[in-house]
Amino acid sequence: MEDRSKSEKDLKGNKMFKEGQSPKILVNMVLALYILGIILGRQVDYQPETFGLWCGGLVILLVVTMGLAWARYRLAWVIMGMTVLLVGMLRFSAVMNIDQQDIGQWVDKDITLMGELAASPVLRVDDQGKNHIKYTVQCNRLILSGQELDTHGKIILYARDNSYDEHKGLFQGTEAVEEQYGRSGDIIRASGRLMRLHDYQNPGRMDMVMANRSQGIHGQMSAAKYSIELMAQDKDLMTRWAEQIRHLYKLQMDRVMPKEDSAAIFAMLFGGYGGIKPELLEAFTVTGLIHILSVSGSHITLMAGTANVIGRALGLSGGLTSVLATIIIGLYSLLAGGTTPVLRSAIMGVLTIMALTMGREKDARHLLSITALGILLIWPLSLYDISFQLSFGATAGLLYLSPAIGGLLRKYLWIYVADSLGVTLGAQLAVLPLLAWYFNVISLSSLLANLVVAPVVEIIIVIGLLAGVLVGVVPVVGQFVFIAASLLLGIAYELSRLIAKLPGSQVYLPTFGVIVWGIYYGGLFLLTLSRDRRSAYWRALTGLWHRIVHNDLERRLVYTGMAAAVIVCLLLHCLRPNEMQVHFIDVGQGDAALVVTPHGHAFMIDTGGTRQGGYDIGSRVDVPYLLHYGIRKLDFIMLTHAHDDHAQGVGGIVDKLPVGAIMIGHEGREAYMKTFGGTHQALKREPMVVLKEGAEMTLDGVRIQVLYAPAENLIGGNTGNEFSNLIRVSYGQQSFLFTGDLAKEHEQILCKGGTALHSTVLKVGHHGSNTSSSEEFLRAVNPQWSVISVGYGNSFGHPKPEILARIHNCTNSRLLRTDKHGAIVFTTDGEQLRVNTQVVYDKENGG
């Protein structure tokens, strides 16, 4: 009896191992569990002293797994899954916990650092013709309080023309403007305050902090005036060689074609957006071709395809063709800068082309999973990098979905059209939830653009790279090819512009919930199955349903359960309270709030903006935030005053979304139009309404009051804050007071006049400046919550320590700040009030 039990256990174990040893299934399961471990690792607050205990737990799990596997127990698979999860969690922790000498340990300190340029500087020229330079610096030494210390790690260093020591800073007499600001490998010295990596902390945004950390970048710094010194260094010859070649490409293109064409083709070849005319960027964005302007998996695929064509033309075997593809991809990756995203795409491309050229299409799927697992083991934070997500997702779509879709379409369309559509649909369907999360739009015109425009762009890239080689051998021929590329760019631009104007070229895509993600990818999984496997699943499902239908008890239970589920859903919908939401959007150093009424009407109070005008807050922060929450139009925008950091975002919003009206203060229409910018044609169509003190309106039960709107400067001064409007939004017993940059003198006027100021939530005036928030005013408002909309590390020192102390002493309110907590969302049914923040806050001390 014992022998029989043992043999049955061995039989089950052997069967389990036989089923489990399908390499593709096993690798995909390990990959999925490891990814889940990285995600869970972000939720755990590891302490350095407990990290060893976690590692000890991992060792124990490994030993237990090996023992159970040797004994052939089914439980081994469960323990192995737990082990992989823990590996993912610890790998995430290992890269996030920096050591004592890492440059990230000195954030919020004034330092002088010495290091080397880890990449070529990125140069941007603003509307005023001023240069803005971005460096990636590999740090070696730093000076803190007169003490010189060793360090390592990378930072991003921002500089302007006045950042350089005129005697030691720039390389004089260099031919290229870019080379005046250094080259990869050069020694750099700079001073400034080191800040932690930071970005706008709103849902649905690309996680640029994690993307930078995945490349070993642990801080950022703006160089102080005249602090940068550069010294040429002949090091990293391969990178320097690649820079020189890119420079020669740009020089030759500038000589034979318009600068805008040169900038666009250079971006297609090596990535970047500098110098490209906005119309081309917009046309490529709408038609889904914008990825062409950053080196990604599509470029690597094109290089591999070119190598395949050359291999066939020369009659090379599959192995030699894959070697040729590897060489071409390696050289191109070096020319493109050899950044971590480029290297990731190159690794995926090389392994995939090796499988495809050797006739092992099914192995390509296997290799993709192995490659992704290897990349995440080396660079676990790549999981949060949109370039990795889209590259991996699109490649998986090409390998798993495109063959099935192309096969279906071949029954109805020409082979070329069917296969082209199959490739496009496969790639897009695989990443559709990601597109919904990050962009909330899908380009239907991309199908047509990929059929018509993409081949032209691919030809431009191939002949553009070829022209650079020919220029060195036969200059006249190379220049002629560059001219041909410029002409093809004109064709591509006109075609993309026409396609972009087609009705429905861009369609709104709502953000997917977790359940919808599961259902969606479950459907795609069924699509990838073979016909026999789908038929088997269908027979099993219909058999189960047939058995239920013919069994009275089971049929009654199923029908009763379905009816109960429908009734519960209807009751939940009917009993759901009517709620208003107030969002304080993280727009950096500025104010922007969104109010959503119980039945879905929406309006904004201020929109944020930047005084430098180099970054369009309206189109790049506000609009994505609105679309993420399903807001596709605004009833109106109310502005407290005309300052850039409160009103400049209007232009970008009206370009993308319909707005019923723009409500302004008494500074005059011209002041607001100047703030909005003159390039937004939609502003000429939008009505502007001047807010009047005492005005009141009700929208969906939400009461909106203009408590104060000075028609003239009552207190003197010329800061512009003298015209700040004071607006209160109320719903039931809960109210929100929006102060703009209301000055203390105006606060005193309101308090002396007996204006009823009490509110549940106070948007603290002027970002926490000491020009606002007087004691008398704070006591009159007496809020339960105080919100400061402020930019991290701003040069004004906001919020001021004395204001934080004053809020604490004069009110019992909890404090929230957009620089610490990101987007802040209040939800109320008129009685209860709850709050959610993008970054979890400390309930004890408000931070």
Side-chain angles (χ1 to χ4, degrees):
M1 188 74 179
E2 182 180 348
D3 292 340
R4 180 181 176 185
S5 175
K6 182 178 180 180
S7 63
E8 286 178 352
K9 184 181 74 172
D10 290 343
L11 181 63
K12 290 180 180 178
N14 288 329
K15 183 179 179 182
M16 180 260 298
F17 268 78
K18 184 176 180 181
E19 291 173 349
Q21 286 183 359
S22 173
K24 186 170 62 178
I25 295 175
L26 179 61
V27 171
N28 285 340
M29 288 178 61
V30 170
L31 176 61
L33 288 169
Y34 180 71
I35 288 174
L36 181 59
I38 293 174
I39 295 171
L40 292 175
R42 195 171 185 178
Q43 313 305 318
V44 177
D45 183 19
Y46 298 96
Q47 299 299 324
E49 57 270 17
T50 62
F51 187 73
L53 295 176
W54 286 93
C55 292
L58 176 61
V59 172
I60 293 173
L61 279 177
L62 284 171
V63 172
V64 172
T65 301
M66 293 172 63
L68 291 174
W70 181 79
R72 297 189 176 183
Y73 279 100
R74 190 181 297 273
L75 185 62
W77 292 101
V78 177
I79 304 299
M80 187 186 77
M82 295 172 60
T83 303
V84 174
L85 274 174
L86 187 55
V87 168
M89 294 173 66
L90 292 178
R91 191 70 191 95
F92 177 86
S93 174
V95 297
M96 289 297 291
N97 289 329
I98 56 180
D99 61 57
Q100 292 299 314
Q101 283 193 316
D102 191 279
I103 188 66
Q105 294 286 358
W106 285 278
V107 294
D108 297 324
K109 304 287 187 182
D110 292 314
I111 64 170
T112 296
L113 66 84
M114 292 79 79
E116 298 177 2
L117 300 186
S120 302
V122 177
L123 177 68
R124 178 179 66 85
V125 182
D126 63 21
D127 297 337
Q128 287 75 41
K130 296 181 180 179
N131 292 319
H132 299 261
I133 304 92
K134 176 183 174 183
Y135 294 106
T136 302
V137 180
Q138 178 66 55
C139 305
N140 299 323
R141 304 278 290 171
L142 66 85
I143 299 174
L144 175 67
S145 302
Q147 183 180 5
E148 190 167 338
L149 304 168
D150 289 326
T151 188
H152 57 79
K154 300 176 186 175
I155 70 162
I156 295 173
L157 176 66
Y158 296 100
R160 297 183 182 181
D161 286 333
N162 63 1
S163 302
Y164 300 87
D165 186 313
E166 295 180 356
H167 301 289
K168 302 178 182 179
L170 300 179
F171 302 130
Q172 302 299 323
T174 52
E175 182 178 2
V177 174
E178 292 86 349
E179 291 188 5
Q180 295 180 25
Y181 300 102
R183 299 166 296 176
S184 177
D186 288 339
I187 297 173
I188 188 169
R189 176 188 175 108
S191 301
R193 175 168 285 259
L194 182 64
M195 310 298 288
R196 60 185 170 86
L197 292 170
H198 192 82
D199 193 26
Y200 300 101
Q201 300 174 111
N202 297 316
R205 281 189 64 82
M206 303 176 196
D207 197 337
M208 297 307 299
V209 172
M210 284 297 182
N212 282 317
R213 292 200 66 142
S214 71
Q215 300 181 54
I217 299 171
H218 295 157
Q220 62 187 40
M221 187 169 85
S222 293
K225 284 186 178 182
Y226 315 122
S227 71
I228 292 182
E229 299 176 20
L230 288 166
M231 184 185 303
Q233 180 176 228
D234 291 328
K235 189 178 179 182
D236 197 3
L237 296 180
M238 292 296 289
T239 304
R240 184 66 56 78
W241 171 78
E243 289 179 355
Q244 290 174 346
I245 291 180
R246 290 199 300 270
H247 169 58
L248 290 174
Y249 266 90
K250 191 67 168 64
L251 272 179
Q252 293 297 328
M253 287 190 288
D254 285 341
R255 288 174 181 172
V256 297
M257 65 179 74
K259 285 192 174 182
E260 289 179 339
D261 287 4
S262 171
I265 294 177
F266 188 85
M268 290 178 184
L269 298 182
F270 306 115
Y273 298 90
I276 303 174
K277 57 184 178 183
E279 296 83 2
L280 179 63
L281 282 175
E282 181 66 19
F284 273 23
T285 300
V286 173
T287 54
L289 297 173
I290 192 65
H291 65 278
I292 294 294
L293 301 180
S294 57
V295 177
S296 60
S298 60
H299 288 71
I300 302 301
T301 302
L302 180 58
M303 296 301 105
T306 303
N308 192 35
V309 171
I310 295 173
R312 288 185 179 182
L314 297 177
L316 300 179
S317 65
L320 289 176
T321 300
S322 61
V323 171
L324 177 63
T326 302
I327 293 172
I328 291 176
I329 291 173
L331 289 173
Y332 177 72
S333 300
L334 179 61
L335 283 178
T339 61
T340 303
V342 172
L343 291 177
R344 287 197 302 253
S345 299
I347 293 170
M348 284 189 187
V350 168
L351 293 177
T352 302
I353 197 63
M354 287 175 65
L356 294 177
T357 54
M358 299 178 71
R360 305 293 295 270
E361 289 83 357
K362 291 185 178 180
D363 287 346
R365 302 176 180 179
H366 189 195
L367 284 172
L368 176 67
S369 299
I370 293 175
T371 304
L373 183 59
I375 288 172
L376 291 175
L377 282 168
I378 300 171
W379 301 297
L381 299 186
S382 297
L383 181 64
Y384 297 98
D385 190 339
I386 185 174
S387 67
F388 173 80
Q389 296 169 6
L390 294 181
S391 293
F392 176 74
T395 305
L398 292 174
L399 294 176
Y400 285 91
L401 298 176
S402 293
I405 296 172
L408 290 173
L409 294 177
R410 282 187 179 190
K411 299 177 183 179
Y412 311 101
L413 300 170
W414 292 333
I415 292 179
Y416 168 74
V417 176
D419 289 348
S420 297
L421 285 175
V423 167
T424 302
L425 286 172
Q428 285 211 354
L429 289 174
V431 297
L432 194 65
L434 291 171
L435 297 177
W437 177 260
Y438 289 118
F439 307 112
N440 290 110
V441 292
I442 184 172
S443 176
L444 296 182
S445 61
S446 65
L447 299 175
L448 182 58
N450 275 278
L451 284 173
V452 178
V453 185
V456 179
V457 173
E458 290 172 355
I459 292 172
I460 292 172
I461 294 173
V462 173
I463 69 172
L465 290 171
L466 176 62
V469 177
L470 290 174
V471 162
V473 181
V474 189
V476 175
V477 177
Q479 291 176 355
F480 176 79
V481 176
F482 272 135
I483 292 172
S486 179
L487 294 174
L488 286 174
L489 177 65
I491 295 173
Y493 168 59
E494 291 300 330
L495 288 173
S496 60
R497 192 169 61 86
L498 290 173
I499 294 172
K501 290 182 178 180
L502 294 176
S505 57
Q506 280 193 320
V507 176
Y508 171 72
L509 196 64
T511 304
F512 286 25
V514 175
I515 296 176
V516 178
W517 275 65
I519 295 173
Y520 179 82
Y521 280 114
L524 291 187
F525 170 74
L526 293 176
L527 183 62
T528 63
L529 295 175
S530 65
R531 181 181 299 178
D532 292 340
R533 186 66 62 87
R534 283 200 300 268
S535 298
Y537 284 150
W538 178 252
R539 286 195 300 270
L541 187 62
T542 53
L544 177 63
W545 178 252
H546 182 77
R547 185 169 64 84
I548 290 174
V549 168
H550 288 82
N551 185 298
D552 289 341
L553 178 60
E554 291 185 4
R555 184 174 67 251
R556 289 170 185 169
L557 288 174
V558 170
Y559 287 164
T560 302
M562 292 172 62
V566 171
I567 292 171
V568 169
C569 290
L570 289 173
L571 285 174
L572 289 175
H573 179 75
C574 294
L575 297 176
R576 186 182 65 181
N578 292 327
E579 294 181 326
M580 175 186 76
Q581 287 187 339
V582 177
H583 303 241
F584 293 91
I585 307 171
D586 181 7
V587 291
Q589 184 67 12
D591 279 7
L594 166 70
V595 181
V596 184
T597 70
H599 294 100
H601 288 279
F603 62 93
M604 291 187 72
I605 300 176
D606 286 341
T607 61
T610 172
R611 292 187 184 277
Q612 287 74 30
Y615 190 90
D616 189 343
I617 295 291
S619 64
R620 300 178 68 177
V621 178
D622 291 330
V623 170
Y625 189 94
L626 296 174
L627 292 177
H628 183 80
Y629 282 98
I631 308 300
R632 300 171 62 186
K633 65 177 182 178
L634 293 170
D635 287 69
F636 49 86
I637 297 174
M638 304 181 79
L639 299 173
T640 56
H641 61 300
H643 274 177
D644 294 4
D645 56 338
H646 293 254
Q648 193 180 61
V650 169
I653 294 173
V654 299
D655 273 352
K656 303 290 185 181
L657 300 175
V659 178
I662 300 170
M663 301 182 179
I664 63 176
H666 289 271
E667 298 98 316
R669 179 186 176 93
E670 293 75 14
Y672 283 91
M673 289 298 293
K674 182 179 179 181
T675 298
F676 300 156
T679 60
H680 305 284
Q681 296 299 318
L683 284 168
K684 298 178 180 178
R685 303 189 299 268
E686 300 295 344
M688 287 193 188
V689 179
V690 178
L691 291 170
K692 304 292 185 181
E693 186 172 325
E696 185 175 324
M697 68 182 86
T698 301
L699 181 64
D700 251 4
V702 175
R703 186 185 183 193
I704 306 152
Q705 300 169 277
V706 181
L707 299 183
Y708 190 60
E712 56 182 334
N713 190 340
L714 302 175
I715 61 172
N718 58 356
T719 64
N721 296 330
E722 296 82 13
F723 288 94
S724 279
N725 299 315
L726 183 65
I727 300 166
R728 181 163 58 200
V729 175
S730 308
Y731 184 60
Q733 300 174 14
Q734 307 297 329
S735 53
F736 299 78
L737 191 64
F738 298 90
T739 58
D741 287 349
L742 192 72
K744 287 188 291 188
E745 293 82 358
H746 288 286
E747 294 175 353
Q748 293 171 4
I749 293 173
L750 289 163
C751 292
K752 289 178 180 178
T755 303
L757 297 171
H758 176 69
S759 300
T760 315
V761 179
L762 169 67
K763 200 293 298 181
V764 176
H766 203 178
H767 324 292
S769 167
N770 52 18
T771 63
S772 301
S773 304
S774 61
E775 292 185 10
E776 187 179 5
F777 181 78
L778 291 174
R779 290 194 174 97
V781 179
N782 192 27
Q784 297 177 17
W785 294 89
S786 296
V787 176
I788 302 179
S789 188
V790 64
Y792 167 71
N794 66 86
S795 58
F796 305 100
H798 296 160
K800 296 293 185 180
E802 57 266 33
I803 296 301
L804 298 179
R806 194 178 298 164
I807 292 172
H808 177 74
N809 294 331
C810 297
T811 73
N812 292 319
S813 65
R814 295 175 178 173
L815 180 66
L816 294 174
R817 297 166 46 169
T818 56
D819 61 335
K820 287 189 174 183
H821 307 108
I824 302 163
V825 182
F826 290 92
T827 304
T828 178
D829 59 1
E831 296 182 1
Q832 302 298 319
L833 182 71
R834 63 182 187 273
V835 61
N836 290 295
T837 59
Q838 181 68 7
V839 180
V840 177
Y841 66 92
D842 183 347
K843 291 184 179 180
E844 294 299 322
N845 56 30

